[in-house]
Amino acid sequence: MLILENNGVFILETENTHYVMAVDCTGVLGHEHWGRKCADVNDYKSTYTSWDKNSNHSARDYGKTEYIPYGGTCYRTPALVVTYADKCREAQLLYKDFEVTFENEDTFLLEIILEDKHYGLEASLFYRLREGTDVIERFVKLRNKSENVITLNKVASGEFNLPSLRPYSSTNFNGSWAAEFYREDTAVKNGVLTYENRKGGSNHTHNPVFILSQNATEDEGDVFFGALAWSGNYKVEIARDFTGRTRAVIGINDFDFSYTLKPGEEFDAPSVYCGYTKGFSEMSNQMNAYAVEHILPKSFNKASLPVLYNSWEATFFDVSCEGQQKLAELAADIGCELFVMDDGWFGERKDDWAGLGDWYVNKVKFPNGLKPLIDKVKSLGMRFGLWFEPEMVNPDSDLFRTHPEWAYHYDTRDADLLRHQLVLNLTKPEVQEFVFRVMDDMLCEYDISYIKWDMNRAYSQTGGENLENPQELWYRHVKAVYEIADRLKEKHPGLQLECCASGGGRVDYGALSHFDMVWTSDNTDPIDRLEIQHGFSLLYPIKCMRAWVTDTNRRSRPRDFDYRFNVTMQGSLSIGGNLLKYNEEELELHRRYIALYKEIRETVQFGRLYRLADFENDHLYANQYVKDNQSVLFLCKSVNTFFNEKFYHVRLKGLDGLARYTVKYDNKEENYGGDYLMNVGLGFEMGGTLESKIIVLEKE
Ligand code: DGJ
């Protein structure tokens, strides 16, 4: 890890890569290189020129700049758009200065300051480098050093120039509710490919990331990626121009956005974590390790997550003290460590038509409050968690009857409901305080160590009549969510937060900087989950991926618990079925798998992941986790057809070639050398049905 500066050439050296920028003779910061290291750094120099031919068309669109503002004769996708007080709508950012800060023995921060001298706008581009990784954290700070207001119309967190002129493949998702992380690879041949969200949260459809690759497999090929730490409207624009140059611009969405920067004020655009790796596997493992070490909230980042029981699919809204106590008894008996009561415990909540906003305990369901339930849960040796959906209100609630003006609305329009609910205007300080207070009060009154924070609708009627600049609303709402989460954690240090938005509608590195984990998807069908989990694992940490074993019969499959455990044990194992309906044999199966999970969870939650199989061709998901002396291989067939009966040789990865391993599966033990397992592989016949296996390898 190194930052070098040599006459306006900036070289950022990570474990395996160089990221290079250079100031050109006119003061523009050009981008020079991102990719493999060069032995002699003295070769790097400025090759960018902002010189333009005096012709009928501009050549500036084709240059490689580090952070391009809208203005002059450059028309391509800009990173920054501003309006000055005199209505001038272009910025000219020229190099002013730089500073390197030694943050600690493992971390350097480079700040390159650009300025629009005439208008007193400063843009600082930050690059944070950490020891032992190729991931670079980039972020941008804007400062108004003038006497006048500056309106920000677009502030991206980064512009990225890719080296090759051949088309890249872009990987993102094209999902939906219950179909998050449905991977799609698209060739970027020309024009602009946009992934964005305008619904308020980061949403189920796409994800605020770019992954651009060439000839990439798990282990080979060039992969460039960036993941935005933002849980609101975002925009990822990937453009390939006439010369073949591909660029990605990623940041807060400029749709319905502007921000008024007053004299003396600063604006922080969210971080983007970016890197270049050889193959997808290295990308996933680098981001996984980086997130655990540097992004997740510090309180629990290094702790493995408990096996939890969640009541949602067992009882839906029909919760009661007695019913939950009975579930808790069984949950503890099979080995759960945390009991989470989901929706239905508050206000007049019988279904999703009423109650959101009234965060008092329902007297009929819990005549003596939550204490008897929590006492029971604790006496069984588990911790207790509770569901909230704090950003929302049902029109049928005391809160709405008292404060209709707290919901986003236009007085002249009918309220447009989704899931019979409205979104609270978190940009109002009194609403923010209310939301903090209702959860804080419950945490003070009861022994609650876990909150599942849900969010079940897209925003609309975002008038923001309370704001001087209503277009700041999207930005300010997200900031308010982060602030409330941080305040709760600060006041209640033992509290774990799960981020949920109708499943995985808020999975991003913004949320994961404030919440300890996410609810991945409302789809608990194990076959669908294989695809969802595959997509999630590309850039997000495995330990944060909550996965439940349930009874769902979405696609009319029998309750095959072996298969369900096999899939869910590949993330943070949780139980979500109606235990009261299980027979002793099924409960015993739960006991055995939960006990096994506890033996392997360090490896799953913190190990390296190898996605071994080409699932599209084989309909076999083979995911191997390796940490220290243990490795776990999960095999799952994803189609239920006789035609797919095959003999597979699964070649493992990441083992110690010279060591011997005890290989345990199907109630038997075998013994192999590491190089045999990696070069020859383990042979299995996998039947035509939905077969699965868990294989545990222990180094001798
Ligand atoms: C949506 C979540 O994703 C579910 O897990 C559950 O908490 C429901 N909301 C409750 O309404």
Side-chain angles (χ1 to χ4, degrees), residues 312 317 342-343 349 387 419 452 454 456 500 502-503 519 522 548:
W312 175 242
F317 300 96
D342 210 280
D343 200 347
R349 189 83 163 160
W387 180 94
R419 211 195 186 205
K452 178 179 174 190
D454 205 346
N456 284 303
C500 169
S502 297
W519 175 221
D522 277 349
W548 302 350

Side-chain angles (χ1 to χ4, degrees), residues 115-133:
E115 69 172 345
D116 188 336
K117 225 181 197 156
H118 184 86
Y119 287 100
L121 175 67
E122 248 181 41
S124 279
L125 311 185
F126 288 91
Y127 301 80
R128 182 172 278 130
L129 264 63
R130 299 179 191 273
E131 196 59 50
T133 179

Side-chain angles (χ1 to χ4, degrees), residues 2 34 36 41 73-74 104 113 118 121 151 208 213 301 306 362 469 516 570 594 683:
L2 204 59
W34 186 22
R36 273 186 283 266
V41 293
T73 56
C74 185
N104 60 46
I113 306 169
H118 184 86
L121 175 67
T151 305
S213 62
N301 61 330
N362 182 292
N469 176 358
D516 303 288
Q570 299 183 37
I594 292 173

